[in-house]
């Protein structure tokens, strides 16, 4: 008969290996049911938690490391496991996971099927009776809503411009499936997100205004009410001087106008300062007008920039009239 101590050591070795593999596959976390499946009783799990061998992330979710050492994907996975069978990462959290939005929300957002009333600290639970298998995918081993479903959900929790930006980014990184978007709208016709997505499809040139940061967003917020055409954002200008292509924040190609929304973070180094001067010189020599603005001007003295843009870019939209510009 095998010695009890040897059997215990053998089981601990198996358990350690299994937990390590499970942790690797699930971004560092696992559920209570999975621990039971490995032979641990509920009391044994509680004992390991009490002695620091397991760390509780949510009521039924554990990790081998403390919560503050988990990366974002681990926190996402923990939230999905905590919400039970059929739960998927969604809304702003899914958008961040897909890479179509670079910030999430104060709480991780998860959609659960049906009308479950379960609540969890740090998780915003959305309930859906229309979520189907075709709305679900897996990214980095995390169950989440597909990009089209995520855009539909985003339409109910973000501003119209933020939704446009998400559409732009989706088009850039993976090629937006407009048929799938239309399918989401058709299957969810009464949802506010369907109306928001429909508006983007009808009024926005998807992929044209993928701003890279809040500086560029502030600049776009100034240009749009002026009645001038939307610029190309982060567009390349190829000159015939034999030099490399120039990437500009905002470009009105027909009028040969380029606007840069400068910030100290990206432009306050000697190397960047010198580089910017050279590229400006190349553009000016080629007949372009180059405008450099700052966060301070855009937020405190936007009338100066509006007046300048209206002189360089007269309104062309049907029925539009230049704004009355006054000092602020």
């Amino acid at each position: 008969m095998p010695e009890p101590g040897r059997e215990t050591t053998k089981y601990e070795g198996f358990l350690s290996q299994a937990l390590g593999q499970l942790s690797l596959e699930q971004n560092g976390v696992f559920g209570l049911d999975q621990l039971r499946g490995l032979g641990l009783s509920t009391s044994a799990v509680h004992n390991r938690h009490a002695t620091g061998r397991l760390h509780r992330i949510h009521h039924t979710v554990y990790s081998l490391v403390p919560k503050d050492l988990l990366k974002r994907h681990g926190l996402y996975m923990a939230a999905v496991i905590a919400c039970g069978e059929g739960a998927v990462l969604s809304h702003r959290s899914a958008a961040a996971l897909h890479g179509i939005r670079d910030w999430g929300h104060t709480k991780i957002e998860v959609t659960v099927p049906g009308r479950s009333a379960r609540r969890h600290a740090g998780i915003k639970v959305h309930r859906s009776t229309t979520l189907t298998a075709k709305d679900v995918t897996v990214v980095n081993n995390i169950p989440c809503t597909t990009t089209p479903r995520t855009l539909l959900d985003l339409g109910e929790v973000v501003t119209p411009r933020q939704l446009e930006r998400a559409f732009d980014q989706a088009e850039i990184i993976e090629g937006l499936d407009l048929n799938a978007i239309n399918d989401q709208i058709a299957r969810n016709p009464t949802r506010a997100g369907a109306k928001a997505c429909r508006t983007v499809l009808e009024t926005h040139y998807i992929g044209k205004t993928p701003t890279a940061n809040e500086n560029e967003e502030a600049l776009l917020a100034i240009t749009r009410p002026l009645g001038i055409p939307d610029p190309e954002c982060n567009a390349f200008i190829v000159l015939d001087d034999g030099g490399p292509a120039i990437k500009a924040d905002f470009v009105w190609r027909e009028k040969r106008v380029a606007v840069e929304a400068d910030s100290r973070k990206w432009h306050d180094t000697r190397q960047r300062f010198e580089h910017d001067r050279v590229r400006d010189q190349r553009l000016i020599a080629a007949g372009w007008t180059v405008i450099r603005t700052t966060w301070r001007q855009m937020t405190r003295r936007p009338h100066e920039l509006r007046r300048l843009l209206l002189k360089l870019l007269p309104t062309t939209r049907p029925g539009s009239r230049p704004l009355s510009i006054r000092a602020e």
Side-chain angles (χ1 to χ4, degrees):
M1 176 179 293
E3 298 178 18
R6 185 172 299 177
E7 284 297 311
T8 300
T9 301
K10 184 177 180 180
Y11 173 70
E12 285 294 335
F14 156 76
L15 183 61
S16 177
Q17 183 177 2
L19 287 178
Q21 183 62 33
L22 195 58
S23 178
L24 183 65
E25 293 173 354
Q26 297 188 167
N27 296 286
V29 298
F30 27 77
L32 178 59
D33 287 345
Q34 292 175 311
L35 294 174
R36 289 171 177 158
L38 294 175
L40 286 174
S41 65
T42 300
S43 61
V45 171
H46 291 166
N47 179 63
R48 286 173 178 265
H49 172 248
T51 56
R53 287 181 290 173
L54 288 176
H55 300 270
R56 182 180 290 143
I57 310 303
H58 292 291
H59 178 60
T60 58
V61 185
Y62 294 84
S63 174
L64 295 175
V65 300
K67 184 175 183 178
D68 57 1
L69 293 183
L70 283 177
K71 295 182 178 179
R72 184 172 69 174
H73 288 172
L75 297 174
Y76 283 168
M77 190 68 182
V80 171
I81 294 175
C83 290
E85 185 177 356
V88 293
L89 198 72
S90 65
H91 294 73
R92 284 159 286 205
S93 300
L97 183 63
H98 282 294
I100 60 175
R101 178 180 162 96
D102 58 4
W103 72 102
H105 187 49
T106 53
K107 291 185 177 182
I108 295 173
E109 293 180 277
V110 173
T111 291
V112 297
R115 301 185 181 278
S116 169
R118 186 181 299 177
R119 296 176 181 272
H120 302 275
I123 304 174
K124 182 175 180 60
V125 180
H126 300 270
R127 296 162 183 84
S128 174
T129 58
T130 63
L131 190 72
T132 68
K134 66 187 300 185
D135 301 321
V136 176
T137 187
V138 176
V139 177
N140 292 321
N141 290 337
I142 303 170
C144 62
T145 49
T146 61
T147 295
R149 173 68 186 225
T150 299
L151 290 170
L152 178 81
D153 292 336
L154 276 182
E156 298 181 347
V157 296
V158 302
T159 67
R161 172 54 198 159
Q162 289 172 339
L163 184 60
E164 285 182 359
R165 195 178 182 187
F167 267 84
D168 287 339
Q169 189 62 21
E171 170 64 19
I172 289 170
I173 65 175
E174 59 184 42
L176 192 63
D177 186 344
L178 294 181
N179 288 331
I181 294 292
N182 285 321
D183 176 62
Q184 287 291 339
I185 293 173
R187 290 193 289 119
N188 300 274
T190 62
R191 287 188 56 181
K195 180 180 179 181
C197 288
R198 192 181 298 111
T199 299
V200 171
L201 295 179
E202 292 173 351
T203 64
H204 181 59
Y205 189 106
I206 297 173
K208 187 177 181 181
T209 56
T211 53
N213 51 53
E214 293 312 302
N215 259 26
E216 294 176 16
E217 276 295 295
L219 180 54
L220 191 64
I222 290 173
T223 65
R224 281 198 154 175
L226 298 180
I228 62 179
D230 274 344
E232 296 175 55
C233 295
N234 294 293
F236 284 94
I237 302 171
V238 179
L239 304 178
D240 58 6
D241 61 359
I246 295 173
K247 186 178 182 181
D249 292 342
F250 280 18
V251 173
W252 286 270
R253 205 172 295 274
E254 184 178 346
K255 295 295 184 179
R256 287 179 170 253
V257 173
V259 180
E260 296 289 339
D262 288 350
S263 68
R264 286 185 175 275
K265 180 178 181 179
W266 302 113
H267 296 267
D268 201 28
T269 65
R270 179 179 295 277
Q271 182 179 9
R272 189 68 202 186
F273 182 86
E274 297 292 338
H275 177 267
D276 288 345
R277 304 292 84 71
V278 172
R279 50 177 273 163
D280 288 357
Q281 292 164 9
R282 290 179 57 209
L283 286 168
I284 293 169
W288 284 74
T289 298
V290 182
I291 301 171
R292 288 192 174 273
T293 185
T294 63
W295 179 260
R296 187 181 183 88
Q297 183 185 39
M298 288 186 291
T299 57
R300 298 192 180 186
R301 304 189 309 279
H303 59 281
E304 298 173 349
L305 192 56
R306 295 189 190 109
R307 185 179 295 117
L308 180 59
L309 290 172
L310 283 173
K311 287 182 178 179
L312 296 172
L313 302 161
T315 56
T316 57
R317 293 176 187 166
S320 62
R321 293 183 299 174
L323 293 178
S324 175
I325 305 298
R326 62 179 178 82
E328 299 176 7

